[in-house]
Amino acid sequence: MAKCFVLLFLCLVMVSINVANTMNETCVDDISIVLQIDLYKNSCPEAESIIYSWVENAVSQDSRMAASLLRLHFHDCFVNGCDGSVLLDDTEDFTGEKTALPNLNSLRGFEVIDAIKSELESVCPQTVSCADILATAARDSVVISGGPSWEVEMGRKDSLGASKEAATNNIPGPNSTVPMLVAKFQNVGLSFNDMIALSGAHTLGMARCSTFSSRLQGSNGPDIDLDFLQNLQQLCSQTDGNSRLARLDLVSPATFDNQYYINLLSGEGLLPSDQALVTDDYQTRQLVLSYAEDPLAFFEDFKNSMLKMGSLGVLTGTDGQIRGNCRVVN
């Protein structure tokens, strides 16, 4: 009898080890949420390759799309968690998040998500959530642009609703001060260090002149590069100036690297909220310096912060649903 108990105990230990290798239990507001690596290995084995293929194709046609898909995931997670709510369209009796000020005429890449979802539904219907697609497409965008890779933890369900108010209030704005940025990140469960690391996503993408107009006034002190300022003033002074786009990283705009931090140190941060990381706070400046000097440290911290952000407020189990069309609730 004693031998049987020993064998049973050993079997339970082995099972628990195997489960721990593929699952990550994250505590958000004291609620245990389990996301799993390789969740679709049996139910939809082609899922990750299908997502990667569409993202690779989209970025090859438009390098800016990498930043756009990464930003979709960010804006999704900052509003009541990573639940695909950002993808929902407005209807006569429903208001989504797409018309919230931080998203209006700004977010893009919805058609890429639609295409991915359409193929996944044809291969394995009602299996892969839109929220998981966003998380995976964000990772793939970074990888395709030369950045670090990580195992995306799956198992998110899609929301049944959205919040325009939360999107308006929760998403950090381009004119944020360091205290404002810290507060917005801490509000959703992300740390000071997460904020600095995730800001490095601005090594990709572009911004409209209207989002950094305060940088054009020439009142930014000695921490702005004058040639950089003059080029921006020339770009944004044209007739359609407010809608003109400038690269967030002038040096390597389509490559995911640590150049963003190097730019900040030379006074070439495009958004006021970016340059503030160097000018307004000693602690943030020190982290910017460390990432400018050590790209591998940035990659490691960015990867870990993306995993942390990707687990925020997720719906699992019987909560939420797996949408057939990412733009509408089933």
Side-chain angles (χ1 to χ4, degrees):
M1 182 65 73
K3 289 183 179 179
C4 289
F5 279 121
V6 171
L7 287 172
L8 177 61
F9 175 75
L10 289 174
C11 287
L12 289 172
V13 169
M14 291 304 295
V15 168
S16 67
I17 289 172
N18 288 334
V19 170
N21 284 338
T22 58
M23 305 182 83
N24 176 43
E25 187 174 277
T26 305
C27 288
V28 181
D29 294 333
D30 297 324
I31 299 173
S32 291
I33 297 167
V34 177
L35 296 177
Q36 184 176 347
I37 293 171
D38 291 332
L39 177 67
Y40 303 118
K41 184 176 182 180
N42 297 318
S43 60
C44 192
E46 298 175 61
E48 291 201 50
S49 62
I50 288 172
I51 296 171
Y52 186 91
S53 178
W54 278 103
V55 173
E56 185 177 43
N57 181 63
V59 173
S60 70
Q61 294 182 33
D62 175 11
S63 61
R64 185 183 164 208
M65 189 55 68
S68 299
L69 294 173
L70 180 56
R71 192 161 176 252
L72 271 181
H73 181 47
F74 181 92
H75 281 225
D76 183 39
C77 293
F78 261 69
V79 183
N80 300 328
C82 311
D83 60 5
S85 61
V86 72
L87 301 173
L88 292 170
D89 283 341
D90 287 2
T91 65
E92 288 184 6
D93 55 359
F94 174 81
T95 302
E97 298 164 11
K98 292 181 179 179
T99 56
L101 188 60
N103 298 337
L104 185 63
N105 299 320
S106 175
L107 288 186
R108 55 199 296 272
F110 298 108
E111 294 79 10
V112 179
I113 303 301
D114 290 340
I116 293 170
K117 183 60 174 174
S118 179
E119 182 169 351
L120 286 173
E121 285 300 302
S122 68
V123 173
C124 36
Q126 289 292 294
T127 303
V128 184
S129 69
C130 301
D132 278 350
I133 292 172
L134 283 177
T136 308
R139 186 273 312 273
D140 292 346
S141 295
V142 171
V143 172
I144 289 165
S145 303
S149 183
W150 59 92
E151 292 283 355
V152 177
E153 297 164 337
M154 309 286 200
R156 302 165 188 80
K157 292 291 182 67
D158 299 322
S159 70
L160 303 178
S163 176
K164 181 178 179 179
E165 181 182 5
T168 300
N169 296 330
N170 291 8
I171 297 169
N175 292 300
S176 298
T177 62
V178 170
M180 290 166 65
L181 289 171
V182 171
K184 296 275 188 182
F185 276 74
Q186 289 182 345
N187 182 53
V188 298
L190 294 171
S191 69
F192 181 92
N193 284 26
D194 292 325
M195 184 265 288
I196 309 296
L198 291 172
S199 293
H202 285 175
T203 187
L204 299 174
M206 306 181 83
R208 295 179 188 274
C209 289
S210 57
T211 64
F212 56 87
S213 56
S214 65
R215 291 281 280 156
L216 305 175
Q217 307 308 313
S219 57
N220 296 273
D223 291 291
I224 187 167
D225 181 89
L226 291 180
D227 289 337
F228 174 69
L229 173 62
Q230 289 171 0
N231 288 334
L232 290 180
Q233 288 172 333
Q234 183 177 0
L235 172 72
C236 299
S237 64
Q238 301 179 41
T239 306
D240 55 348
N242 274 343
S243 61
R244 286 270 174 166
L245 293 168
R247 294 168 175 170
L248 287 163
D249 174 1
L250 287 174
V251 180
S252 53
T255 302
F256 193 97
D257 54 22
N258 69 331
Q259 186 63 45
Y260 163 81
Y261 299 103
I262 298 170
N263 293 343
L264 297 187
L265 294 171
S266 61
E268 296 177 318
L270 185 66
L271 303 180
S273 57
D274 287 333
Q275 196 60 47
L277 299 181
V278 166
T279 60
D280 294 2
D281 187 279
Y282 175 78
Q283 282 183 286
T284 56
R285 183 182 177 90
Q286 292 308 112
L287 272 173
V288 168
L289 276 167
S290 69
Y291 290 153
E293 293 171 355
D294 190 346
L296 294 181
F298 163 53
F299 278 15
E300 184 66 19
D301 287 355
F302 181 83
K303 174 184 70 176
N304 291 332
S305 293
M306 284 294 290
L307 283 166
K308 186 175 176 181
M309 185 182 76
S311 70
L312 296 175
V314 298
L315 303 172
T316 60
T318 57
D319 294 328
Q321 62 179 209
I322 296 175
R323 293 184 209 135
N325 177 345
C326 292
R327 293 175 180 264
V328 294
V329 174
N330 293 343

